[in-house]
Amino acid sequence: MSTKCLTVTEFVLTGLTNLPGLQVPLFLMFLVIYFTTMLGNLGLIFLIWKDPHLHTPMYLLLGSLAFADACSSSSVTPRMLMNFLSNNHMISLVECITQFYIFASSANTECFLLVVMAYDRYVAICKPLLYPVVMSNIFCIQLLSVSYIIGFLHPMMHVSLLFRLTFCKSNVIHYFYCEILQLFKISCTDPKVNMLLIFIFSVFIQSITFMTIIISYSYVLLTILKKKSEKGRSKAFSTCSAHLLSVSLFYGTLFFMYVRPGSGLAENQDKIYSVFYTILIPLLNPFIYSLRNKEVIGALRRIINTK
């Protein structure tokens, strides 16, 4: 049995669907989505880098979120696109674990970036006079560094524990990327320790970060309602509503995937949840944060007029 387990070093990703007639339409649809995602996120990063008016903590954080979204989408979508047009859906164990690590690191980093962004809005709206002192560029960079360090260190624990597993039940992953829960299903080693740690850390990280965000925006909302200036209320509410929409989409799908108990019916919906947080959220975020943001639109106009 052990010899058989050691021979499984490659897996087959079945993808979103096995129906031949849907492969090309799905390829074209997700190609447009990926192109738009990269254009939106990398374009936003370029805009923030290019325009001096956007060299503030808020936009530094927004650029970092765009980078995490670009990494998240790029870890999953290109492989999925290739599989739509190819008969060879094989992926090696090393490639599989690497794909999981890049995606998990990006998603973890995004959790902490959203917390820092919520704190930034709390200080800007609730303590405006202290904002230049509290949210200096140096402190902002320190918060970003901590977010990325924690985001990239945490998945290393789950990756190291993956190497204790052997695979002999099957080498077929009924998914469109190497999602860690799917790997547990085909393991011939008992993955209970892995699953327990995934659940504990998912509950801890998602609950703590989500509650911190909600508390921050609760104070922000109370402060906005007390503002006498209609213009000030409108601007603050517009910025925070975009942040809250992004938070709701991101955490909603993560809670469904990693915190809720599994069930047969729910497992059939996992692909939909995964498509949402791996592909659609990185697509939506740059537009959620930019379309109603006058500073970003103004920066875009200045660059267009300059050229």
Side-chain angles (χ1 to χ4, degrees):
M1 178 65 74
S2 61
T3 306
K4 186 178 179 183
C5 287
L6 291 171
T7 58
V8 179
T9 57
E10 290 187 324
F11 303 101
V12 178
L13 293 171
T14 59
L16 285 175
T17 178
N18 292 324
L19 297 174
L22 290 178
Q23 301 303 312
V24 173
L26 285 173
F27 169 80
L28 294 174
M29 183 179 75
F30 283 105
L31 179 64
V32 171
I33 288 174
Y34 182 62
F35 178 77
T36 309
T37 300
M38 299 310 289
L39 183 66
N41 284 293
L42 297 182
L44 185 59
I45 292 170
F46 173 77
L47 201 62
I48 292 168
W49 170 71
K50 194 73 175 173
D51 194 296
H53 296 88
L54 301 182
H55 293 177
T56 62
M58 175 181 167
Y59 292 104
L60 183 60
L61 294 170
L62 194 53
S64 299
L65 183 70
F67 177 73
D69 279 333
C71 291
S72 176
S73 183
S74 296
S75 68
V76 174
T77 314
R79 166 70 67 172
M80 185 176 68
L81 289 172
M82 286 191 295
N83 287 346
F84 280 134
L85 300 182
S86 172
N87 292 323
N88 181 13
H89 294 182
M90 301 296 292
I91 184 170
S92 71
L93 176 62
V94 173
E95 288 175 320
C96 192
I97 291 176
T98 301
Q99 185 186 53
F100 162 73
Y101 176 73
I102 294 172
F103 171 74
S105 299
S106 304
N108 271 270
T109 301
E110 189 158 339
C111 284
F112 294 102
L113 286 176
L114 290 171
V115 171
V116 178
M117 290 173 74
Y119 177 70
D120 173 75
R121 289 302 83 203
Y122 164 76
V123 178
I125 294 170
C126 300
K127 313 282 184 184
L129 297 178
L130 294 175
Y131 184 75
V133 178
V134 175
M135 286 302 292
S136 64
N137 285 339
I138 293 174
F139 183 59
C140 184
I141 291 170
Q142 289 173 342
L143 290 175
L144 282 175
S145 301
V146 171
S147 298
Y148 273 96
I149 289 169
I150 297 174
F152 278 77
L153 282 179
H154 167 232
M156 283 185 180
M157 175 186 67
H158 300 297
V159 166
S160 62
L161 287 171
L162 274 177
F163 285 105
R164 65 179 281 273
L165 303 181
T166 48
F167 302 94
C168 57
K169 290 179 181 178
S170 170
N171 72 332
V172 178
I173 300 174
H174 295 281
Y175 229 63
F176 60 96
Y177 78 103
C178 286
E179 205 277 322
I180 193 167
L181 299 181
Q182 303 303 315
L183 288 172
F184 295 161
K185 291 179 182 179
I186 60 173
S187 169
C188 58
T189 310
D190 189 353
K192 284 181 182 176
V193 173
N194 302 62
M195 293 179 72
L196 181 63
L197 287 172
I198 285 279
F199 179 76
I200 290 171
F201 278 91
S202 295
V203 170
F204 179 74
I205 291 174
Q206 291 176 36
S207 299
I208 294 296
T209 53
F210 183 71
M211 288 306 299
T212 304
I213 291 167
I214 293 301
I215 291 169
S216 296
Y217 282 117
S218 297
Y219 279 108
V220 166
L221 183 60
L222 290 172
T223 305
I224 290 172
L225 294 174
K226 291 177 184 177
K227 282 182 179 287
K228 294 180 180 180
S229 167
E230 181 67 31
K231 185 179 179 182
R233 271 204 307 266
S234 177
K235 183 179 178 182
F237 187 76
S238 177
T239 303
C240 293
S241 61
H243 288 209
L244 283 171
L245 178 58
S246 176
V247 167
S248 301
L249 293 172
F250 181 71
Y251 278 93
T253 50
L254 282 183
F255 274 122
F256 270 110
M257 280 297 296
Y258 297 107
V259 176
R260 63 162 173 79
S263 65
L265 180 62
E267 285 176 6
N268 294 329
Q269 299 171 349
D270 280 355
K271 285 184 183 180
I272 298 172
Y273 297 138
S274 291
V275 166
F276 208 86
Y277 73 75
T278 58
I279 297 170
L280 294 183
I281 288 177
L283 167 71
L284 295 173
N285 271 347
F287 300 103
I288 289 172
Y289 286 108
S290 303
L291 288 179
R292 295 179 64 189
N293 190 309
K294 292 179 180 179
E295 285 87 356
V296 172
I297 294 170
L300 183 60
R301 284 174 180 164
R302 282 191 292 273
I303 287 179
I304 292 171
N305 292 335
T306 302
K307 290 187 177 180

